[in-house]
Amino acid sequence: MSQPDFSMEIQISFGHCDPAGIVFYPNYFRWFDRCFHTYLLKTAGGHRRLCRVLEAQGIGLMDARANFISPALDGDLMTLEMTIRDWGHKTLTLGYLGRIGERAVVEGTELRGMFVRRDGRLRAGEMAPLRALLDAGLPDAGQA
Amino acid sequence: MSQPDFSMEIQISFGHCDPAGIVFYPNYFRWFDRCFHTYLLKTAGGHRRLCRVLEAQGIGLMDARANFISPALDGDLMTLEMTIRDWGHKTLTLGYLGRIGERAVVEGTELRGMFVRRDGRLRAGEMAPLRALLDAGLPDAGQA
Amino acid sequence: MSQPDFSMEIQISFGHCDPAGIVFYPNYFRWFDRCFHTYLLKTAGGHRRLCRVLEAQGIGLMDARANFISPALDGDLMTLEMTIRDWGHKTLTLGYLGRIGERAVVEGTELRGMFVRRDGRLRAGEMAPLRALLDAGLPDAGQA
Amino acid sequence: MSQPDFSMEIQISFGHCDPAGIVFYPNYFRWFDRCFHTYLLKTAGGHRRLCRVLEAQGIGLMDARANFISPALDGDLMTLEMTIRDWGHKTLTLGYLGRIGERAVVEGTELRGMFVRRDGRLRAGEMAPLRALLDAGLPDAGQA
C-alpha cells in the first residue's frame, strides 16, 4: 500500500464507546474530520488561514462513508492514516484507514468541496488554488 | 417515493453547528443512529430488550454513508425519515432522508448486522429472529 | 418549586450512553445548552437573530456545573426544565432540572454572558438589552 | 502551584468549535473525562481492568463544574493538567486546568464515586481499594 499523506494517533477512551463497549460509530467520522483538519494545520497553517487566503467559507463535505471492519475498545490506540486519493476540478477525495497494530478497524472516504459565497449562495469553488497552497506549505510551517 | 417506516424531527441547535455555521457532519450519523434506535423503542421495546431476547451484543454498523445535499443551520427543523430498504440473511439496510420543509439536506444509508458472541468472538448472526420481533411489535407497544 | 421558564423532552438514546450503560455525562451539558438555545428560538427568534440585533458574538458560558443525582438509560424519556434564576449586570444565571417521571436525574446551572467585540477583544456586555428582547418576544413569535 | 498528577495535550480542531468560532463548552467535560481515563490507563491498566478487579460498574460522576476563563479556537494546542485534590471515604475529587501556553482557558473539578451493584441498585462504594490499586500501579505498567 502507498504511503499515507498524514497520520495521527487516536487514544480510544471510555466516552467514545457505547453500551456495547465499542466505539460509537459517528466518532469515526469526527476523527476523519479531525485528521483532515490537523493535516491542514500542520501543512498550511490550518483551515481558518486557508479560508481567509482563498476567500472561502469552508472546505466541507459532499459525501462521506465508512466501512467498520472490526471493533475498537476503550484503551485501544488507533493509528489513523489519511491519503489524498484524487483532486477533481471542484472536489477532493480523501481515503482513511484506522488500525490497531496490524488489525484494520475502519476504512472510509470523504468527498470534500471548497465552498465560496457567490450571489448570496454557497457554491463549490475550484480546487486548484487550495491544492497550490497545500503543495507550497508554509515558510515557517506548522503554526496557525 | 414510498412511505418511510419511521420519522422524527430534529431541532438543529447552535451546538450542532461548526465555525462555518452549518451542521458538523458527524452529527447526521448520530441522528441516523438515534432514528433507528427510536424506531426500535417505539416498535419493539428498544435495543436493550431486543438484545436480551435475541441473546445479542448489539445491532451495530457494518457500513454507513451519507450525501450532504444542502446545509442545515441553527434554528432549522429537520424531518428525518427512515426506510427499511432490505433484509439480507445477516444484514439490514436502512435508508435515511433528512429534509427541511421540501428541501433535501442529507440522504444516507446504514448497513447493520446483529452481533452475537460465539466462541469468544463477535460474529454477525441471522436477521430472521430480529425481523420477526419487529414485525410482531409489542402487545402494549412502545415502552422499554 | 416555581414554574420553569422553559422545558423540553430529551429521548435518551443508545448513542448517549457509555459502556456502563448510562448517559455519558458531558451530554447533560449539551442538553442544557440545547435547552437554552431552543428557549431563545421559541421566545425571540433564536441566538443568531439576537446576536445580529445586539451586535454580539454570542451568549456564551462563564461557568457551568451539574450534580448527577441518579442514572439515566437508553430508552428513558427525560424532561428538562430551565429556570431563569438571576439577571446580573453582565451575567445571566440559568437553573436546570432533568427528571424521568418524578425521579430527579440531574440538576445544574449555567452562568452566561453576552460577548461583544470591543477593541479587538471579546468582552462581557451588559445584559439589559438582551433581557428586553426576551421579555418583548416576537410579534409572530417562534421562527428564526 | 503543585505538580499535576497527569497531563495531556488536546489539539483543538474545527469540529470542537461552534458558530462563534470557539470551543463548544461540553467538549471541555469530554476532555476532563478523557484525561481521567487516560490517567487510569497509563497508571493502572485502565477503567475496564480496575472495574473487573474491584467488581465495580464504573468510576463515575457525582458532580462536575467548570469555569471558562478565556476562549480556545481551532488550531490551539491546549495542555490539560489533572490533579488529585482529595480522596474521601466514598469520593474522589479531581481538579483540572487547561491552558494554551501560559494563558488559562478552563479550570474545573469532577467529584467521582465508584459505583457497585448491591441489592440490585447502584451504590457508591469505598474508595480505599481503588486508591491502593492506583498507588501500586502495574508491574508492566501502562497497557490495558
Side-chain angles (χ1 to χ4, degrees):
Chain A
M1 218 188 100
S2 64
Q3 191 71 8
D5 291 283
F6 189 69
S7 79
M8 61 187 300
E9 295 198 328
I10 306 283
Q11 178 68 65
I12 311 281
S13 187
F14 182 78
H16 299 133
C17 300
D18 63 25
I22 63 177
V23 168
F24 181 53
Y25 93 85
N27 285 318
Y28 289 110
F29 291 103
R30 294 201 308 112
W31 295 327
F32 291 174
D33 185 86
R34 177 136 66 96
C35 190
F36 177 68
H37 276 87
T38 308
Y39 162 75
L40 294 185
L41 181 66
K42 302 298 185 189
T43 307
H47 183 260
R48 206 166 52 234
R49 172 186 177 267
L50 287 167
C51 286
R52 196 170 52 229
V53 173
L54 298 167
E55 297 183 350
Q57 294 291 307
I59 304 165
L61 270 286
M62 295 168 155
D63 199 281
R65 54 159 295 281
N67 178 232
F68 309 102
I69 300 164
S70 68
L73 283 75
D74 175 16
D76 284 340
L77 184 66
M78 185 175 80
T79 302
L80 183 57
E81 300 174 345
M82 188 198 88
T83 305
I84 296 180
R85 290 258 184 86
D86 185 59
W87 284 100
H89 182 50
K90 296 191 173 181
T91 58
L92 167 60
T93 306
L94 301 158
Y96 296 93
L97 175 64
R99 52 187 178 73
I100 295 166
E102 293 305 304
R103 175 168 61 90
V105 166
V106 64
E107 173 273 319
T109 58
E110 287 183 330
L111 182 70
R112 287 179 179 262
M114 189 171 68
F115 297 99
V116 292
R117 192 168 295 280
R118 209 165 288 159
D119 313 324
R121 279 193 54 194
L122 284 184
R123 291 168 195 281
E126 291 175 23
M127 296 305 257
L130 172 61
R131 185 175 187 176
L133 283 174
L134 290 173
D135 286 349
L138 284 175
D140 58 344
Q143 290 309 310
Chain B
M1 218 188 100
S2 63
Q3 190 70 10
D5 291 283
F6 189 70
S7 79
M8 61 186 300
E9 295 199 328
I10 306 283
Q11 177 68 64
I12 310 281
S13 186
F14 182 78
H16 298 134
C17 300
D18 62 26
I22 62 177
V23 168
F24 181 54
Y25 92 86
N27 285 318
Y28 289 110
F29 291 102
R30 294 201 307 112
W31 295 328
F32 291 175
D33 186 85
R34 177 136 68 96
C35 190
F36 176 68
H37 276 88
T38 308
Y39 161 76
L40 294 185
L41 181 66
K42 302 297 185 191
T43 307
H47 182 260
R48 205 166 53 233
R49 172 187 176 265
L50 287 166
C51 287
R52 197 170 51 230
V53 173
L54 298 166
E55 298 184 348
Q57 294 291 308
I59 304 165
L61 269 288
M62 294 167 156
D63 199 281
R65 53 159 295 280
N67 178 230
F68 309 101
I69 301 165
S70 68
L73 283 74
D74 175 16
D76 285 340
L77 184 66
M78 185 176 80
T79 302
L80 183 57
E81 299 174 345
M82 188 198 86
T83 305
I84 296 179
R85 290 259 183 85
D86 184 60
W87 283 100
H89 182 50
K90 296 191 174 181
T91 59
L92 167 59
T93 307
L94 302 158
Y96 296 92
L97 175 64
R99 52 186 178 73
I100 294 166
E102 292 306 304
R103 176 168 60 90
V105 166
V106 64
E107 173 273 320
T109 58
E110 286 182 332
L111 181 71
R112 287 179 179 262
M114 188 172 68
F115 297 97
V116 293
R117 193 168 293 281
R118 209 165 286 157
D119 312 325
R121 280 193 53 193
L122 284 183
R123 290 167 195 282
E126 291 176 22
M127 296 306 259
L130 172 61
R131 185 174 187 175
L133 283 174
L134 290 173
D135 287 348
L138 283 176
D140 58 345
Q143 290 309 310
Chain C
M1 217 187 103
S2 63
Q3 191 70 9
D5 291 282
F6 188 70
S7 80
M8 62 187 299
E9 295 199 329
I10 306 283
Q11 177 69 65
I12 311 281
S13 187
F14 182 79
H16 298 133
C17 300
D18 63 25
I22 63 177
V23 168
F24 181 54
Y25 92 85
N27 285 318
Y28 289 110
F29 291 102
R30 293 201 307 113
W31 295 328
F32 291 175
D33 185 86
R34 177 136 65 98
C35 190
F36 176 67
H37 275 87
T38 308
Y39 162 75
L40 295 185
L41 181 67
K42 302 297 184 189
T43 307
H47 182 261
R48 206 167 51 233
R49 173 186 176 266
L50 288 166
C51 286
R52 197 170 50 229
V53 173
L54 298 166
E55 297 183 350
Q57 294 290 309
I59 304 165
L61 270 287
M62 294 170 155
D63 199 281
R65 54 157 297 279
N67 179 231
F68 309 101
I69 301 164
S70 68
L73 284 75
D74 175 15
D76 284 341
L77 184 66
M78 185 176 82
T79 302
L80 183 58
E81 298 175 347
M82 188 198 87
T83 305
I84 295 179
R85 290 259 183 83
D86 185 59
W87 283 100
H89 182 50
K90 295 191 173 181
T91 59
L92 166 59
T93 307
L94 301 159
Y96 296 93
L97 176 64
R99 52 186 178 73
I100 295 166
E102 293 305 303
R103 176 168 61 89
V105 166
V106 65
E107 175 272 319
T109 57
E110 286 183 331
L111 181 70
R112 287 179 180 262
M114 188 171 68
F115 297 98
V116 292
R117 192 168 294 279
R118 209 165 288 159
D119 313 324
R121 280 194 53 194
L122 284 182
R123 291 168 195 281
E126 291 175 22
M127 295 306 258
L130 173 62
R131 186 176 186 174
L133 283 174
L134 289 173
D135 286 349
L138 283 175
D140 58 346
Q143 290 310 311
Chain D
M1 217 187 102
S2 64
Q3 191 71 9
D5 291 284
F6 189 70
S7 80
M8 61 187 299
E9 296 198 328
I10 306 284
Q11 177 69 64
I12 312 281
S13 186
F14 182 78
H16 299 133
C17 300
D18 62 25
I22 63 176
V23 168
F24 181 54
Y25 92 86
N27 285 319
Y28 289 110
F29 291 103
R30 294 200 308 112
W31 295 328
F32 290 175
D33 185 86
R34 177 136 66 97
C35 190
F36 176 67
H37 275 87
T38 309
Y39 162 75
L40 295 185
L41 181 67
K42 302 296 185 190
T43 307
H47 183 260
R48 205 166 54 233
R49 173 185 176 265
L50 287 166
C51 286
R52 196 170 53 228
V53 173
L54 298 166
E55 297 183 349
Q57 295 290 308
I59 304 165
L61 270 287
M62 294 170 155
D63 199 281
R65 55 158 294 281
N67 178 231
F68 309 101
I69 301 164
S70 67
L73 283 76
D74 175 16
D76 284 341
L77 184 66
M78 185 175 81
T79 302
L80 183 58
E81 298 175 347
M82 187 197 88
T83 305
I84 295 179
R85 289 260 183 85
D86 184 58
W87 283 100
H89 182 50
K90 295 191 172 181
T91 59
L92 166 60
T93 306
L94 301 159
Y96 296 92
L97 175 64
R99 52 187 178 72
I100 294 167
E102 293 306 302
R103 176 168 61 88
V105 166
V106 64
E107 174 272 318
T109 57
E110 287 183 330
L111 181 69
R112 288 178 179 262
M114 188 172 68
F115 297 97
V116 292
R117 192 168 293 281
R118 209 165 286 159
D119 313 324
R121 279 194 51 194
L122 284 183
R123 291 168 195 283
E126 292 176 21
M127 295 307 257
L130 172 62
R131 185 175 187 176
L133 283 174
L134 290 173
D135 286 349
L138 284 176
D140 58 345
Q143 291 309 311

